[in-house]
Amino acid sequence: QRSPSHAARASERGSGADPVHHVTVEDGVELIRGMRVTTRGTWADLGAGNGTFTRALARRLGPNSRIYAVDRDVEAVESLRQSSAKATSLIIPVCADLTRPFELPGLDETMLDGMLIANTLHFVRDADSVLPRLVAWVRPGGRIVLIEYDRRAASRWVPYPIPIARLPALARSAGLTTPAITATRPSA
């Protein structure tokens, strides 16, 4: 069993602005600080977008780590490709849709030490079927870090919200232990 799973919640306050654009790399570092992310290793940041949490994870893991930064947005992946050349961690941008099968180049038979899914699952209509397929890449004892907004009603920015009460069942459906909420922060 892959465990423990961790979750950080960003509670959303209603300014009407897109909440995802207010998260900084420093915010990301703070949100993942308490999640017992070990130094080095091979991780995946799924739904990496412009790389905010990828860079936060790279800071936490340190040099010589390898991070797959996966997103379906071609422009975001190209931006990650350009910015990753300066990183001390090996960042491997991958253009893929998480709801469909895809490959992580060079992973081969190796398993991931961890997976970060930040502000992403709320875009997936059927997280209960997608999450188990994704976490199958993580070695037993590896870490799954989930960061989501704490809201109950769907919106255009969070079309398929994952309420905190649903986390234990979602974790079980993926073969994970009961999640522990290790950090929260208000969203601007």
Side-chain angles (χ1 to χ4, degrees), residues 26-57:
E26 289 73 27
D27 293 333
V29 169
E30 285 303 311
L31 282 170
I32 65 175
R33 183 177 309 281
M35 297 182 195
R36 295 191 306 175
V37 172
T38 58
T39 56
R40 292 199 219 160
T42 301
W43 279 65
D45 176 8
L46 303 182
N50 66 7
T52 299
F53 282 98
T54 305
R55 289 189 296 279
L57 186 58

Side-chain angles (χ1 to χ4, degrees), residues 43-89:
W43 279 65
D45 176 8
L46 303 182
N50 66 7
T52 299
F53 282 98
T54 305
R55 289 189 296 279
L57 186 58
R59 283 189 193 175
R60 185 75 179 125
L61 294 174
N64 304 317
S65 56
R66 180 169 57 156
I67 303 168
Y68 290 94
V70 182
D71 203 278
R72 69 179 181 181
D73 183 314
V74 174
E75 290 178 17
V77 171
E78 184 54 35
S79 174
L80 278 164
R81 191 175 322 284
Q82 292 172 9
S83 66
S84 67
K86 303 173 224 157
T88 58
S89 298

